[in-house]
Amino acid sequence: WLKGSIFVVRCTSPYFAKLSTRQNFPMAGSKSQTLIQQLLDAEKQAEEIIANAKKNRLTKLRQAKEKAEEDLKVFREEQEAKFQKESGSKAGSDPALDLKTSTKTELDLVERDYTTNKGRTVDYVCKKVLDVPTTLSETQIRALQMGIA
């Protein structure tokens, strides 16, 4: 404990501060100066690498943003053209006229079916009305025998 206190006092003393300068220890000073310079160079290189990485990152982000904007512009143009085409075709047509045309077409089909099948239908109905069986079925005979009918 005492030694550490004295050491602190000695190190802060102006006399010992002069002794601990690099001039008094030229061998250790030049080696430590070299190491310190290497550290400073390494820090500078690291800062340059980080700066370049940030710059590259920003460049890539800008490029991605520009590409996305171009793609979005193309998509918007396609969708707008598609919308204009659809709305243009709908705007040019009259819904009431379309309904009237489709109704007339359906009525014509029904009328044609009527005229085509009229004769056969009349023949079928007359045949069924005039075709009366004169015999009793087995079920009717049994019902009469049991006294139900």
Side-chain angles (χ1 to χ4, degrees), residues 22-89:
R22 286 185 210 119
Q23 297 159 356
N24 294 330
F25 306 106
M27 291 291 266
S30 78
K31 189 172 184 179
S32 65
Q33 182 62 30
T34 305
L35 293 175
I36 290 172
Q37 189 59 42
Q38 284 179 346
L39 280 173
L40 291 173
D41 291 344
E43 279 184 8
K44 187 175 181 181
Q45 266 186 322
E47 288 174 359
E48 289 174 0
I49 290 172
I50 290 171
N52 283 336
K54 286 181 180 179
K55 189 170 72 174
N56 289 340
R57 179 178 168 263
L58 288 174
T59 303
K60 286 183 180 181
L61 283 173
R62 280 191 206 110
Q63 289 173 347
K65 182 180 176 183
E66 290 172 1
K67 175 71 173 147
E69 287 175 354
E70 288 175 16
D71 292 346
L72 183 62
K73 183 180 177 184
V74 169
F75 178 75
R76 279 187 182 148
E77 289 173 354
E78 289 173 358
Q79 293 300 315
E80 184 66 27
K82 182 179 174 183
F83 174 75
Q84 291 299 330
K85 181 181 175 186
E86 288 177 4
S87 65
S89 66

Side-chain angles (χ1 to χ4, degrees), residues 112-136:
R112 191 184 73 207
D113 285 345
Y114 171 75
T115 55
T116 304
N117 297 320
K118 180 173 74 169
R120 288 193 312 207
T121 305
V122 169
D123 289 342
Y124 176 78
V125 171
C126 288
K127 189 186 225 182
K128 287 296 180 182
V129 168
L130 296 176
D131 186 24
V132 178
T134 56
T135 61
L136 295 175

